[in-house]
Amino acid sequence: MKRIIILTTFSILISFSTKAQAVPAPEENIPFLVTFGKEAKKSFGDDDNCQTFFFSIPKSLSKPVYIRIFDPGTGGKHDEVYKAENTETSFQLYGGKGCISEKDARETDPKGNFKSGNLIHQKVFKNEPEYDDKWYTIGPLSPTQGEYSEEYFGNVFKLICEGTSGDDGNLYRYFLSTSPNENIPISGGNAFTFEYTFRLNAASNQISHIYPFVDDNVISIKQTNFDFDNDGSIELSSVVTKAYKLKMSGDNETAEDKYTVSPREKGTSLDIQLIKGTKKITNNNVVFYVTNQYGEALPFFAVPIGGTPKYSGKLSIKPIQKNK
Amino acid sequence: MKQLFAIFVSLVALVTYSQEYSYQYITQTQGLSNTFINSILQDDRGYLFVSTGEGIGIYNGIGVEMYYKKNKLVDDYVSASFKDSKGNLWFGHIQGGSSIFYENRFAHVFIGAGIGSQINDIDEDKGGRIWFVSQEYGLYYFTENNDKGFFSKPSSDRLYYSLHITEKDDFLLGTDKGIEVYNFTNDADGDHLNKVQNIGLSEEAQMASIIAVNGSLTFAISINGHAYKITNKNNIYKSERLQFFNLNSEIIVTEAYSAKGYLWISTLQNGLLKCSIQDDQIFIIEKYNKSSGLKTDAVNTSFVDREGVLWIGTFGEGLASKEEDLFTYYFIDKKINHPISAVLANKTNLFVAGKSKIEHFDKQNVFCYKAYDEQNGIPKDEITDLIFDKDSNMYIGTTLNGVYQLKKGEDQFNPIYISEDNLSKTIADLEIVENSLYIATLNGAYRYNLETGGVNIFNITTGLPHNAIGSIFKTKDNRVIIGTNSAFISEIKDETVYNYPIKDGIEVIEVNDIFDDENGDIWFSSNGSGIFKLGVKTCFNINTDFGIMSNYCNAIRINDLGNIWVSHNEGLSKISLADTSVQVFDQYFGLNYRFLRGAIDIVDNEIWFGTENGVVLYNSDKDFKNKVPPITSFKFLTINDSAHQIKDEIHLDYGTYKFGFGLAGLTLKGAKKVKYRFILEGYDEEWSPLTDKNSIYYTRMNEGEYTFRVKSFNADGTEGTEIQMKIIVAIPYWQTWWFFAACVVSIIALVFVIVKFRERSFIKYQEKLKRDLALRTREVVEQKNKIEAINKDITDSINYAQRIQGSILPADEYLEELFPESFIFFRQRDIVSGDFYWCGEMSGKQVIVCADCTGHGVPGGFMSMISHILLREALTEESLDNPALILQQINSKIVEVLKQTDDYESNRDGLDIAIIVQDKSNMKVKFAGAMRPLYIYRNGIRTIIKGDRNSLGGLQNGKIFETKEADVQKGDKLYIFSDGYADQFGGPHKSKMKIKVFQEAMDQFSQIPMKDQEEAFTTFFYNWKQDMTQMDDVLLIGIQI
């Protein structure tokens, strides 16, 4: 346990000293987050037309922060238009009490009081050329407007993206910035979600990474992926596991399987790799989440806690002959 | 009219684009915990309450004191605040709870349980209920009496952001989808909040604020910047969209606020907008954002305090304040300095010059008409001055290249030749006098004739004290005054140079600039010696002793308010002509850049100053005193260096104390320049002079009544409220009336107790005495009875002894027989006597003896008895012939009988004795005496035959007794006696009679018949003795032959 705590703390310090609050993070190799309008078919790759991301601001920061959304509207250069550009997407930013501490907020499905906390800002985007391929900025925000959570390393804001109407797919990205006009990362900032809905790269053999964090209470995990279209393979790597094959889903299907967590994996992130196959499938959107043995969702951090897990092989233990 | 106003506003907008304001910031440096300001309020005491995401800061003009959850706030994050009609301050928190500040302390109102959603607005209804708008929950109210009511989700699917309760007590509730109108009723059934209507808006937008503007107009604005005028007609509310006239970008509004007749709209991307509403349009008059010098464009809230100071609550840069601008800043370049070395202004035009560049601006609009540079013939040099002649030709002076001229209507500057001397090309000043241009150079003052081009020079050869000219000035009455680097100030009059000593005519003063006032007095500034007024013999000097910022004075001007303005490198000094009082302006007023030497011009109410970065404009129209009195308060009170609660009256026990008073003169405008006057009545005799010390201490304060009174004065000298505090140090208890009274009562009580005690003791003692007396009396009586009995026995014994003793004494008849003419005066002291007498006749001889034994009473009686016996034994015929033998025998017998020795301890008892043996046959008497004499009177003549000087008995020492024989005649009177008669005390002096008196009495009585002598001696004795005690047995025997 002591080793895990030390390792975790050390890893956190290392990872938080980096500055990467892009969502998805460059290391994840995920081109876009995606949310479809609520009239869209599930088979398009979004099971609930909603994506919640949390942004964590270190308590020590007392300067304004901004959450920037790239291409928040639907239509134009990046989005997946089904027939007509008829989709409205709502972005709602929450802070204050209950923002993250409310249990429903940490669920994978947008049910119950998942919109907990104080609504700080909301804006609905349609097909608006002025935001196409451009950044929209929310803020300035005071860090203390968020909900302070020691578990999630600071003041936490919650950004909910909902496809409130239409059937198109809204592809977007986030950035947690100190500037309203530029993407300047915050030292020690991070972003995380409990259910990841994203667009896979179109090119073959591209590997996307997502990093669920395994805390001390996790004994086993269950990974669930939806609508992977059997587009390649899904593997799990960690400090003790290398290329562990996970079940993958077909079109409009859900696949899940379990993985027992090694003690050495506690306090580290897992590296789940979605390895694109050679099917030339474009516009492949996937939903992914991981739960623990209690069915509680594990967070995927944009900046993996403990850093990207490096496989260090199996430990071999030899008895040492005692000196006589 | 509308168009004109619009044009005006647009021009103002242009001005704001080019000018910068001075802001003061309150951040962590001043104690603010968080730079994200959510709301600002001022309480009735004048303190500013700054609500942030990390507590509430109370600002007193100097610093901020933060209050948090631990100080009784419901939560650290404060999202809204409100001051009610009674002056209480209410605060709403992010989690829905609310706090109150009253009676100088914070307290919980409602902790927000069940609310859980941010308080966005607070308002008060006519019934004094304080209504809180919770974003998701809805409304709840509290009253001062702790009444409360909760109204959850008055409308479903809405969020609540703002509230305005109208004069008619209607609730205009701003939601995320427009405005709803509610009516609140309170009847027997309880509280009811009834929805009356929705106010139709042009959008379903989140309403940032709904406020009353100028008391009549209700104004609402959405976060998107859509503004509405809300009207009520026939109890129906309607909205009318107001358009921004000159807003050319989208805004995100956080709050709208009304003050000073303006609408202040806080935005997150465009700063604070100062607006007016005219003809259903909103005109932005000024913008306070990055473009005008504010550190951020994100403004969350604003507030105008009671002194007119604008407070801007930024979102991330703390609290900014902006006072009414005495100074306005132009052309400041944040990237590189933009030095302005010369400035020239008239009513409509402004010329600013720097290095190789002159810009001509429309002064009102700060619109640049024309810029001149090297392309226009300006040398690559700093321009030191510029001036126009009456024909509007421009002349400029340069540092190294002399003077250039720009003729009216032309575009090209041309040099003017005045001299070949290089020093003449360094120009300090230019002045136009009639048709001449005076040029101040390092080579003297040149006069260039503008019509002919002729040049005259004034230098040391023509009478100037120095060739280095600092300034040339034409006075209002056309005098030409020249300042040099010398001990004199000079004047050119009728082609003659007159020099006036500045000080003593010796000390060199470097003159920088000259100006004259309305009275015609000439003032000039110097480099290192302050400023001077030209006088007849010497000049009046104002320097740092008067309080000016520095003695290094650059430019000088005197304005329409009668103030001298002097620029220094570090700022400006303003000196009143009336009383020479001085006010300095430094970085505190935003004067951050160095003022350049000759860059100054005055026109009407404006003074323009050139600095190393841009231009500073002083406008005397804005130069008015802050007449809002500061609010005086006590910041702290210490007694013996320990903090003490501040109260109107403080009572301290007797002792010696140190008082410390912390003073605050609360003004948010120039707070650091607040001064105080104070007096401690009971100690000080008069008010203190004005002081900027805000901590006053008094030491060694003893008993007494002290009243500390203090008044504060703001930076402009406006007197604030007076407050006072009374401190009473008790006198020692032993000086109090009650102590005196207690003492008196105690003494009385003590005396009473003592008296009572003594009385009781006395009574007891008396009773005891009585008992003792009775006891003693009984004892005494018993003793007395005993003694009486004993005494009676003794007395009886003695009486009997007396009888026995008396029996040894011869009977009177026998004595008379032997001595017919004789008497015996015998008075024993006690019953029995030590004296005795005896008489007898043996062998025809009559013997009479007078004996005085040792002692008296019983011992004497014993001795007399012994002696009588011994006497009788000693009487023989032989001894009768020689009575001395009687004495000898008695003597020896006494020694024998009484076993006397010569030892010290042996008894010394014995007797004195006189023995007469009369032999009638031969008329002779023989006498032997031991210590007793024989007196013989014959014919009244006394003859004393002394006895031997030895007593019988006692120490012997060879006692010898002798018999004396005397022939007697008939009629001779013989007396023998004991010493008792002469030793008796009495007489007039209560003294011993002594032998002399006795002899005189005997001399007298011996003359009378023998039978009468006894009575005479008796009478004399008792007359002498009177009532005194008889001292000894008395025996006197007289016989007549």
Side-chain angles (χ1 to χ4, degrees):
Chain A
M1 175 63 79
K2 188 178 178 185
R3 182 167 165 265
I4 291 171
I5 293 172
I6 293 170
L7 180 64
T8 303
T9 308
F10 183 67
S11 303
I12 289 169
L13 289 172
I14 291 174
S15 61
F16 275 29
S17 65
T18 61
K19 296 178 177 178
Q21 284 89 47
V23 181
E27 295 86 348
E28 293 177 305
N29 193 25
I30 293 171
F32 283 102
L33 306 174
V34 63
T35 301
F36 277 81
K38 69 179 180 182
E39 285 95 29
K41 296 176 182 173
K42 274 194 172 184
S43 60
F44 291 174
D46 186 357
D47 62 345
D48 54 14
N49 311 112
C50 182
Q51 175 140 255
T52 301
F53 251 89
F54 297 89
F55 296 88
S56 172
I57 319 292
K59 195 177 184 185
S60 57
L61 185 72
S62 58
K63 287 292 181 185
V65 297
Y66 302 84
I67 296 173
R68 308 189 76 209
I69 308 170
F70 179 73
D71 191 25
T74 309
K77 188 174 178 182
H78 303 289
D79 302 300
E80 184 177 335
V81 177
Y82 180 52
K83 289 179 179 174
E85 295 168 337
N86 60 354
T87 299
E88 290 186 355
T89 308
S90 166
F91 290 88
Q92 299 163 51
L93 180 71
Y94 291 86
K97 188 178 179 184
C99 166
I100 179 70
S101 57
E102 168 63 43
K103 187 173 182 297
D104 289 347
R106 302 193 302 273
E107 293 292 337
T108 56
D109 292 328
K111 293 177 182 173
N113 190 25
F114 76 104
K115 292 185 177 180
S116 54
N118 280 311
L119 177 63
I120 296 171
H121 182 88
Q122 67 173 335
K123 189 168 175 68
V124 176
F125 295 91
K126 303 174 187 174
N127 176 21
E128 290 164 278
E130 63 182 297
Y131 296 116
D132 186 43
D133 198 30
K134 292 188 179 66
W135 289 93
Y136 170 78
T137 302
I138 300 173
L141 301 167
S142 164
T144 56
Q145 283 180 287
E147 181 184 22
Y148 179 70
S149 168
E150 206 161 319
E151 184 180 357
Y152 295 101
F153 317 115
N155 290 299
V156 176
F157 291 89
K158 175 169 65 185
L159 185 57
I160 298 175
C161 173
E162 281 185 294
T164 53
S165 67
D167 53 10
D168 305 317
N170 187 358
L171 277 71
Y172 55 93
R173 290 196 292 262
Y174 296 139
F175 200 99
L176 178 62
S177 175
T178 58
S179 167
N181 306 312
E182 298 175 81
N183 290 338
I184 301 174
I186 296 168
S187 293
N190 210 336
F192 58 95
T193 184
F194 293 93
E195 185 196 60
Y196 221 146
T197 307
F198 53 93
R199 165 66 59 87
L200 286 172
N201 286 294
S204 300
N205 300 319
Q206 288 286 326
I207 303 173
S208 297
H209 303 259
I210 52 178
Y211 302 102
F213 176 66
V214 177
D215 63 27
D216 288 347
N217 299 320
V218 178
I219 298 170
S220 65
I221 63 165
K222 182 174 80 176
Q223 69 86 16
T224 304
N225 60 80
F226 171 73
D227 196 33
F228 184 64
D229 297 346
N230 293 317
D231 187 11
S233 62
I234 303 176
E235 295 178 355
L236 184 149
S237 292
S238 71
V239 291
V240 296
T241 301
K242 191 174 184 180
Y244 176 81
K245 295 285 185 186
L246 297 175
K247 282 185 182 174
M248 57 184 172
S249 57
D251 180 35
N252 201 23
E253 290 178 348
T254 299
E256 57 187 36
D257 57 358
K258 288 186 178 178
Y259 171 78
T260 302
V261 171
S262 153
R264 286 178 59 198
E265 290 172 318
K266 293 186 177 184
T268 70
S269 294
L270 305 178
D271 180 6
I272 295 175
Q273 300 171 8
L274 295 92
I275 304 164
K276 181 80 174 166
T278 56
K279 290 183 178 177
K280 304 286 185 187
I281 298 173
T282 56
N283 297 347
N284 191 3
N285 307 306
V286 183
V287 178
F288 211 109
Y289 59 89
V290 175
T291 55
N292 64 13
Q293 68 277 10
Y294 304 115
E296 297 167 342
L298 302 187
F300 299 94
F301 282 91
V303 181
I305 302 300
T308 306
K310 304 292 184 193
Y311 175 70
S312 57
K314 303 284 185 185
L315 283 176
S316 59
I317 301 171
K318 290 181 180 176
I320 299 171
Q321 192 174 14
K322 291 181 181 177
N323 292 324
K324 290 182 179 177
Chain B
M1 180 64 190
K2 181 177 172 181
Q3 287 176 334
L4 281 174
F5 187 78
I7 292 169
F8 164 74
V9 171
S10 66
L11 291 179
V12 169
L14 282 173
V15 171
T16 59
Y17 179 77
S18 303
Q19 66 190 30
E20 289 210 359
Y21 301 112
S22 171
Y23 301 95
Q24 310 299 318
Y25 291 91
I26 296 166
T27 61
Q28 283 95 340
T29 308
Q30 286 77 25
L32 199 62
S33 64
N34 184 284
T35 52
F36 297 86
I37 313 301
N38 291 328
S39 66
I40 308 165
L41 275 183
Q42 188 170 34
D43 73 357
D44 290 341
R45 303 171 304 163
Y47 289 92
L48 211 61
F49 284 65
V50 186
S51 301
T52 76
E54 289 180 275
I56 295 172
I58 299 181
Y59 178 62
N60 61 6
I62 306 293
V64 177
E65 190 168 353
M66 291 303 302
Y67 292 83
Y68 304 99
K69 202 170 175 179
K70 63 186 178 186
N71 305 114
K72 298 289 182 187
L73 285 179
V74 164
D75 192 84
D76 283 345
Y77 195 102
V78 185
S79 52
S81 62
F82 176 74
K83 184 162 107 173
D84 70 16
S85 54
K86 293 174 182 171
N88 299 319
L89 306 185
W90 303 79
F91 300 91
H93 299 281
I94 193 167
Q95 38 71 295
S98 44
S99 307
I100 186 172
F101 183 84
Y102 75 112
E103 295 178 352
N104 296 335
R105 62 191 175 89
F106 287 100
H108 292 180
V109 175
F110 179 63
I111 59 170
I115 304 293
S117 177
Q118 175 169 304
I119 301 299
N120 285 325
D121 203 1
I122 309 170
D123 206 351
E124 181 180 11
D125 69 11
K126 295 291 176 291
R129 299 175 192 84
I130 307 302
W131 290 84
F132 296 85
V133 179
S134 172
Q135 184 165 306
E136 287 196 30
Y137 178 83
L139 293 171
Y140 68 83
Y141 76 79
F142 269 84
T143 69
E144 204 175 44
N145 300 325
N146 215 22
D147 294 334
K148 51 198 169 191
F150 295 88
F151 304 93
S152 173
K153 295 207 176 289
S155 288
S156 60
D157 300 331
R158 293 213 176 193
L159 301 175
Y160 308 94
Y161 288 95
S162 51
L163 174 67
H164 173 63
I165 301 174
T166 68
E167 287 293 315
K168 297 169 69 176
D169 232 6
D170 290 331
F171 288 44
L172 306 186
L173 185 58
T175 73
D176 60 336
K177 297 182 177 68
I179 302 173
E180 296 177 330
V181 182
Y182 287 88
N183 178 267
F184 173 75
T185 56
N186 174 257
D187 54 29
D189 295 336
D191 294 337
H192 304 282
L193 191 66
N194 306 307
K195 186 172 180 179
V196 178
Q197 68 165 107
N198 281 324
I199 299 179
L201 303 176
S202 63
E203 57 168 354
E204 281 196 344
Q206 177 182 323
M207 303 310 297
S209 290
I210 308 169
I211 57 171
V213 180
N214 299 332
S216 57
L217 171 66
T218 300
F219 173 86
I221 190 164
S222 71
I223 63 165
N224 300 323
H226 293 185
Y228 302 91
K229 181 170 75 175
I230 308 296
T231 57
N232 182 287
K233 193 172 182 181
N234 299 325
N235 290 327
I236 302 296
Y237 285 93
K238 290 186 176 178
S239 70
E240 181 183 347
R241 175 86 185 266
L242 300 174
Q243 299 294 333
F244 279 92
F245 176 77
N246 48 354
L247 182 65
N248 46 18
S249 61
E250 280 193 8
I251 56 175
I252 296 177
V253 174
T254 56
E255 179 200 82
Y257 166 67
S258 174
K260 295 174 74 174
Y262 297 107
L263 187 64
W264 307 81
I265 298 174
S266 301
T267 75
L268 282 183
Q269 274 88 35
N270 297 74
L272 178 65
L273 310 177
K274 178 182 177 182
C275 307
S276 68
I277 299 175
Q278 182 91 11
D279 296 329
D280 294 338
Q281 284 193 310
I282 301 172
F283 296 94
I284 300 172
I285 296 171
E286 286 176 314
K287 290 180 180 175
Y288 303 102
N289 53 22
K290 275 188 169 178
S291 299
S292 66
L294 195 66
K295 287 182 179 175
T296 177
D297 286 331
V299 173
N300 202 27
T301 184
S302 65
F303 181 75
V304 177
D305 72 17
R306 65 191 188 97
E307 292 169 286
V309 178
L310 171 64
W311 296 90
I312 302 171
T314 73
F315 214 54
E317 293 293 346
L319 184 65
S321 69
K322 178 188 169 298
E323 297 181 7
E324 194 63 63
D325 287 310
L326 198 59
F327 303 102
T328 312
Y329 310 88
Y330 295 88
F331 319 126
I332 291 173
D333 192 327
K334 292 284 174 62
K335 295 177 182 172
I336 55 169
N337 278 355
H338 182 195
I340 307 295
S341 55
V343 59
L344 179 67
N346 60 24
K347 287 187 182 300
T348 56
N349 296 289
L350 174 68
F351 294 85
V352 296
K355 188 173 183 179
S356 311
K357 188 174 183 181
I358 299 171
E359 291 171 292
H360 175 199
F361 289 93
D362 174 295
K363 197 175 75 177
Q364 291 300 318
N365 303 326
V366 198
F367 172 75
C368 185
Y369 286 132
K370 176 76 176 172
Y372 303 92
D373 55 21
E374 292 176 55
Q375 300 292 323
N376 303 93
I378 297 176
K380 193 173 184 178
D381 195 2
E382 183 177 284
I383 297 169
T384 54
D385 198 9
L386 54 85
I387 194 169
F388 283 92
D389 66 14
K390 60 183 172 49
D391 297 324
S392 299
N393 300 312
M394 183 196 292
Y395 301 88
I396 62 171
T398 65
T399 304
L400 297 170
N401 291 278
V403 179
Y404 282 72
Q405 180 193 45
L406 176 69
K407 287 187 177 177
K408 182 184 178 185
E410 295 187 359
D411 205 27
Q412 202 68 24
F413 283 82
N414 294 303
I416 292 177
Y417 174 79
I418 57 172
S419 170
E420 283 295 329
D421 194 312
N422 279 341
L423 290 176
S424 68
K425 297 185 188 307
T426 297
I427 312 300
D429 197 11
L430 299 173
E431 185 63 287
I432 298 286
V433 181
E434 296 177 342
N435 62 344
S436 296
L437 173 67
Y438 280 78
I439 305 164
T441 77
L442 290 180
N443 195 40
Y446 289 85
R447 185 173 62 194
Y448 175 77
N449 191 305
L450 297 172
E451 293 175 353
T452 65
V455 174
N456 298 92
I457 184 170
F458 298 93
N459 55 20
I460 55 174
T461 59
T462 59
L464 279 180
H466 200 283
N467 280 349
I469 311 298
S471 179
I472 299 176
F473 179 69
K474 184 190 76 173
T475 67
K476 293 180 180 63
D477 52 357
N478 284 326
R479 294 168 66 189
V480 177
I481 309 297
I482 297 177
T484 64
N485 186 12
S486 71
F488 299 91
I489 188 91
S490 305
E491 180 178 6
I492 299 173
K493 190 162 60 178
D494 300 330
E495 302 301 314
T496 304
V497 174
Y498 297 88
N499 294 318
Y500 311 111
I502 296 174
K503 281 190 169 177
D504 50 8
I506 298 172
E507 185 180 342
V508 173
I509 306 295
E510 184 181 351
V511 175
N512 278 340
D513 199 11
I514 308 171
F515 205 74
D516 59 348
D517 62 24
E518 289 298 320
N519 298 324
D521 290 326
I522 294 164
W523 294 80
F524 52 96
S525 60
S526 75
N527 201 25
S529 302
I531 65 168
F532 295 86
K533 183 172 78 172
L534 182 60
V536 178
K537 291 183 179 177
T538 185
C539 298
F540 173 60
N541 181 210
I542 294 176
N543 52 29
T544 51
D545 292 343
F546 286 73
I548 65 173
M549 180 179 283
S550 166
N551 283 337
Y552 291 86
C553 303
N554 295 335
I556 182 169
R557 291 294 182 273
I558 300 169
N559 74 349
D560 53 343
L561 297 181
N563 293 318
I564 305 168
W565 283 87
V566 179
S567 68
H568 312 275
N569 285 350
E570 307 88 353
L572 299 169
S573 295
K574 182 175 81 171
I575 304 117
S576 167
L577 274 174
D579 57 8
T580 66
S581 61
V582 175
Q583 191 177 1
V584 297
F585 301 91
D586 51 18
Q587 286 188 333
Y588 179 81
F589 294 88
L591 305 179
N592 297 317
Y593 300 105
R594 189 168 60 91
F595 284 77
L596 300 182
R597 177 176 162 177
I600 189 169
D601 199 16
I602 182 167
V603 54
D604 298 331
N605 56 343
E606 301 170 348
I607 304 177
W608 296 82
F609 299 91
T611 76
E612 64 181 354
N613 192 6
V615 170
V616 172
L617 168 64
Y618 158 79
N619 190 332
S620 64
D621 288 347
K622 295 180 178 178
D623 193 359
F624 50 83
K625 285 190 172 182
N626 175 14
K627 293 184 178 174
V628 178
I631 299 169
T632 316
S633 63
F634 289 110
K635 199 165 54 179
F636 65 80
L637 168 68
T638 61
I639 292 176
N640 288 345
D641 293 325
S642 296
H644 195 281
Q645 187 184 1
I646 295 170
K647 293 193 288 189
D648 291 341
E649 189 167 307
I650 292 167
H651 292 263
L652 301 174
D653 294 335
Y654 170 69
T656 300
Y657 293 96
K658 178 183 177 184
F659 301 154
F661 301 95
L663 312 180
L666 190 57
T667 174
L668 303 183
K669 194 172 184 180
K672 290 180 180 173
K673 297 180 184 295
V674 169
K675 288 186 166 58
Y676 305 92
R677 293 188 70 199
F678 59 87
I679 184 172
L680 183 64
E681 290 180 346
Y683 184 83
D684 293 330
E685 292 184 351
E686 57 185 22
W687 284 83
S688 73
L690 274 175
T691 176
D692 55 1
K693 288 199 316 184
N694 57 7
S695 298
I696 309 299
Y697 292 93
Y698 289 89
T699 57
R700 302 192 63 76
M701 305 306 294
N702 296 316
E703 71 271 20
E705 187 171 315
Y706 306 97
T707 303
F708 187 76
R709 298 168 60 194
V710 61
K711 292 185 278 192
S712 60
F713 299 81
N714 70 14
D716 291 328
T718 303
E719 183 176 319
T721 51
E722 179 188 319
I723 57 169
Q724 62 181 40
M725 180 191 297
K726 184 180 280 188
I727 299 179
I728 299 167
V729 180
I731 58 175
Y733 67 87
W734 58 86
Q735 291 182 14
T736 56
W737 66 267
W738 57 264
F739 183 78
F740 283 120
C743 285
V744 170
V745 170
S746 299
I747 290 170
I748 290 172
L750 185 64
V751 168
F752 180 78
V753 168
I754 291 172
V755 167
K756 281 292 179 188
F757 177 77
R758 286 175 61 85
E759 193 176 86
R760 187 172 297 174
S761 300
F762 186 70
I763 290 170
K764 280 185 178 176
Y765 187 65
Q766 264 191 330
E767 289 172 354
K768 181 175 179 297
L769 283 179
K770 279 182 181 176
R771 287 195 304 273
D772 290 349
L773 183 62
L775 185 63
R776 295 287 180 271
T777 303
R778 192 167 65 241
E779 289 177 354
V780 167
V781 169
E782 288 173 359
Q783 292 294 329
K784 173 177 168 285
N785 290 339
K786 277 185 183 175
I787 291 169
E788 279 181 349
I790 294 168
N791 190 49
K792 185 175 179 298
D793 289 344
I794 294 171
T795 304
D796 288 348
S797 298
I798 294 173
N799 285 337
Y800 192 78
Q802 183 193 26
R803 282 175 58 192
I804 295 171
Q805 189 179 37
S807 66
I808 66 169
L809 296 177
D812 292 344
E813 295 81 10
Y814 182 63
L815 178 64
E816 190 173 349
E817 183 184 332
L818 293 179
F819 301 99
E821 292 293 329
S822 64
F823 73 90
I824 292 177
F825 177 71
F826 179 46
R827 296 292 187 271
Q828 61 264 51
R829 181 179 176 272
D830 302 310
I831 297 172
V832 291
S833 170
D835 291 2
F836 72 93
Y837 59 92
W838 184 84
C839 63
E841 186 175 27
M842 291 178 69
S843 304
K845 297 176 182 173
Q846 295 81 37
V847 180
I848 189 161
V849 177
C850 172
D852 179 4
C853 297
T854 305
H856 48 77
V858 173
F862 276 105
M863 279 304 297
S864 65
M865 290 302 289
I866 294 170
S867 300
H868 179 262
I869 294 168
L870 296 178
L871 173 65
R872 293 291 295 269
E873 288 178 353
L875 289 173
T876 65
E877 284 191 14
E878 182 185 6
S879 62
L880 288 177
D881 287 336
N882 186 6
L885 295 174
I886 300 171
L887 299 186
Q888 284 179 346
Q889 184 172 336
I890 293 172
N891 177 55
S892 56
K893 284 294 183 182
I894 286 175
V895 171
E896 181 183 342
V897 169
L898 296 183
K899 299 180 178 63
Q900 291 176 335
T901 66
D902 289 340
D903 294 339
Y904 177 74
E905 293 180 350
S906 177
N907 70 78
R908 295 283 182 267
D909 297 323
L911 72 160
D912 298 339
I913 193 166
I915 300 174
I916 299 172
V917 180
Q918 178 182 278
D919 187 357
K920 289 179 181 177
S921 61
N922 54 7
M923 288 303 280
K924 289 185 186 287
V925 293
K926 291 181 179 174
F927 168 75
M931 295 298 291
R932 302 311 312 161
L934 169 63
Y935 285 18
I936 300 174
Y937 284 86
R938 180 177 294 166
N939 299 322
I941 302 300
R942 169 169 34 94
T943 301
I944 299 174
I945 300 172
K946 291 183 178 179
D948 295 314
R949 296 197 61 81
N950 296 305
S951 294
L952 303 184
L955 292 175
Q956 293 306 300
N957 296 328
K959 289 179 181 176
I960 298 173
F961 302 98
E962 186 178 4
T963 299
K964 284 88 177 178
E965 186 180 74
D967 294 327
V968 295
Q969 298 177 2
K970 190 168 174 72
D972 289 347
K973 298 172 180 171
L974 282 68
Y975 299 92
I976 53 176
F977 49 86
S978 66
D979 57 0
Y981 202 109
D983 287 346
Q984 179 61 45
F985 281 83
H989 304 296
K990 309 290 184 189
S991 58
K992 192 181 276 190
M993 183 187 292
K994 294 185 178 176
I995 196 64
K996 186 179 178 185
V997 174
F998 177 67
Q999 287 175 341
E1000 286 172 356
M1002 188 171 282
D1003 290 346
Q1004 183 184 349
F1005 299 151
S1006 63
Q1007 301 306 311
I1008 62 174
M1010 270 328 256
K1011 294 297 182 188
D1012 297 333
Q1013 284 188 23
E1014 182 182 0
E1015 186 180 353
F1017 276 106
T1018 301
T1019 303
F1020 182 80
F1021 180 79
Y1022 285 107
N1023 285 343
W1024 180 266
K1025 172 179 159 298
Q1026 299 173 30
D1027 56 354
M1028 295 190 72
T1029 305
Q1030 184 176 328
M1031 301 306 296
D1032 199 359
D1033 299 326
V1034 177
L1035 178 59
L1036 172 62
I1037 300 172
I1039 59 175
Q1040 184 173 335
I1041 301 299

